[in-house]
Amino acid sequence: MNTGVTTLTKLPDITAIYPFHGDEVLFALGILAFFIAFFIFQIGMETRHHKAIIGDFTASPAE
C-alpha cells in the first residue's frame, strides 16, 4: 500500500484523509443524546420492574 507521500516538504498541504471529516462534533452530540436517552429508558424500565416485584409496598417505621 502506498500513501503517495515521498517527501515531508509537502506535509502541511495534506488534508484530512478519513471519511466524515468535520462531522466529529455532530457524532459526539449524537452519541451523547443516545446515552442520555438510554439511561432515561433504563431507569424507567427498572422502576417498572421493581414496582412489579415489590408492588406499592412502603416500609413503615419499626414499632
Side-chain angles (χ1 to χ4, degrees):
M1 177 181 263
N2 185 4
T3 61
V5 178
T6 56
T7 179
L8 296 178
T9 58
K10 293 186 179 181
L11 193 59
D13 297 333
I14 298 175
T15 60
I17 56 172
Y18 55 92
F20 307 114
H21 173 68
D23 294 334
E24 293 87 356
V25 174
L26 178 66
F27 288 137
L29 291 175
I31 291 169
L32 180 65
F34 172 78
F35 277 118
I36 290 172
F38 171 79
F39 283 119
I40 290 171
F41 176 75
Q42 188 69 27
I43 290 169
M45 190 170 63
E46 289 181 9
T47 302
R48 287 189 305 272
H49 179 70
H50 290 173
K51 190 171 286 275
I53 292 173
I54 299 173
D56 290 328
F57 177 77
T58 56
S60 60
E63 295 178 347

